[in-house]
Amino acid sequence: MATLADYGPEVRAEVKQVREVVATLHEQLIKWNLVVWTAGNVSQRLHTADLMVIKPSGLRYEYLTPSSMVVCDLDGNVVDGAEAPSSDTASHAYIYRHMPDVYGVVHTHSTYATAWAATGQNIPCGLTMMGDEFGGPVPVGPFRLIGSEAIGEGVVETLKKYPKSPAVLMQNHGPFTIGKDAEAAVKAAAMTEEVAHTMWAAKQLGDIIPISQEDIDSLNDRYTNVYGQH
Ligand SMILES: O=C(CO)[C@@H](O)[C@H](O)COP(=O)(O)O
């Protein structure tokens, strides 16, 4: 099995940088109230080699450091790190192998998104923000047991049906989000929780007013191509 020493200086330099990024982004999961105790995980794929950096399993967030992040290949084998990698490593690896534009994956158990997952309901697209961020509803994925690539398969198969969504609510489990890097996937996790909360509150008040698909597409197009600094 390869070790990090088998890779060149460019790869080792990227590993160092990505370890820092991934360790620091776990602080954002706490800041946005997306995880409790040791639940949840962040990973980022490298550009210089078929490797990813992921959280160690079951370590409390306050003990996470760049050096405790685990480097794995895209089959989930450990290439560098003293700790055992996240329980969801094989699923993150599956997503990277099957979605070549994805360089960040995040899993949380954020409260409202996970409540929708427990009921097996898509979050309906009733907010302009959802048109922007998700291009439609936030979809529910199938129930899958933890510990293999089965969750990753469920995420990928669900996103084939909802290609604009950066999030899947795995049934009875919680959100898995993707992005062009780990920061984008963390943002998607925060946005998922925000809309899950608002749409839950809206349901308590009455019926959701749907937004037409044409308007959703227009919102998503503007947000993707015009919004922000270009
Ligand atoms: O729910 C799950 C497993 O999918 C995880 O979020 C655990 O709660 C945290 O697992 P580690 O990443 O610490 O192994």
Side-chain angles (χ1 to χ4, degrees):
M1 196 66 65
T3 70
L4 200 50
D6 298 320
Y7 291 84
E10 193 189 12
V11 174
R12 291 202 300 275
E14 192 184 10
V15 163
K16 182 170 183 300
Q17 182 245 329
V18 173
R19 272 187 152 134
E20 283 165 16
V21 167
V22 172
T24 304
L25 281 169
H26 283 92
E27 295 166 14
Q28 296 295 314
L29 302 186
I30 303 282
K31 176 179 171 186
W32 295 100
N33 204 20
L34 303 177
V35 291
V36 65
W37 204 244
T38 63
N41 38 65
V42 178
S43 74
Q44 183 165 299
R45 181 179 181 170
L46 268 64
H47 286 273
T48 55
D50 285 336
L51 298 174
M52 65 180 189
V53 172
I54 192 162
K55 190 193 94 164
S57 183
L59 284 196
R60 278 169 50 190
Y61 283 86
E62 55 269 45
Y63 302 140
L64 297 182
T65 59
S67 61
S68 68
M69 298 298 118
V70 186
V71 184
C72 294
D73 66 23
L74 297 191
D75 291 314
N77 301 305
V78 175
V79 168
D80 194 58
E83 319 289 349
S86 167
S87 324
D88 294 319
T89 298
S91 284
H92 287 232
Y94 183 95
I95 294 168
Y96 292 130
R97 288 202 310 278
H98 290 84
M99 300 187 80
D101 295 336
V102 171
Y103 279 77
V105 177
V106 169
H107 170 46
T108 80
H109 295 172
S110 63
T111 306
Y112 287 87
T114 301
W116 285 90
T119 66
Q121 297 176 73
N122 290 355
I123 307 175
C125 185
L127 303 168
T128 56
M129 179 185 186
M130 293 186 70
D132 286 351
E133 299 282 349
F134 302 93
V138 183
V140 172
F143 175 78
R144 294 291 165 88
L145 290 176
I146 296 165
S148 72
E149 63 185 28
I151 291 172
E153 283 171 5
V155 169
V156 171
E157 97 188 18
T158 304
L159 291 178
K160 281 188 187 144
K161 290 177 247 158
Y162 295 89
K164 290 186 178 162
S165 176
V168 175
L169 309 175
M170 290 301 284
Q171 186 185 307
N172 303 105
H173 189 167
F176 283 76
T177 61
I178 58 168
K180 65 178 172 50
D181 53 25
E183 181 174 323
V186 171
K187 176 191 170 192
M191 293 299 177
T192 299
E193 181 59 7
E194 176 69 11
V195 303
H197 192 169
T198 307
M199 291 304 293
W200 173 83
K203 270 190 81 165
Q204 314 312 304
L205 295 171
D207 293 337
I208 307 299
I209 303 169
I211 304 175
S212 72
Q213 192 58 51
E214 188 186 356
D215 285 339
I216 291 172
D217 291 345
S218 168
L219 288 161
N220 189 261
D221 182 61
R222 188 204 72 91
Y223 189 66
T224 307
N225 299 310
V226 179
Y227 173 80
Q229 308 302 315
H230 290 274

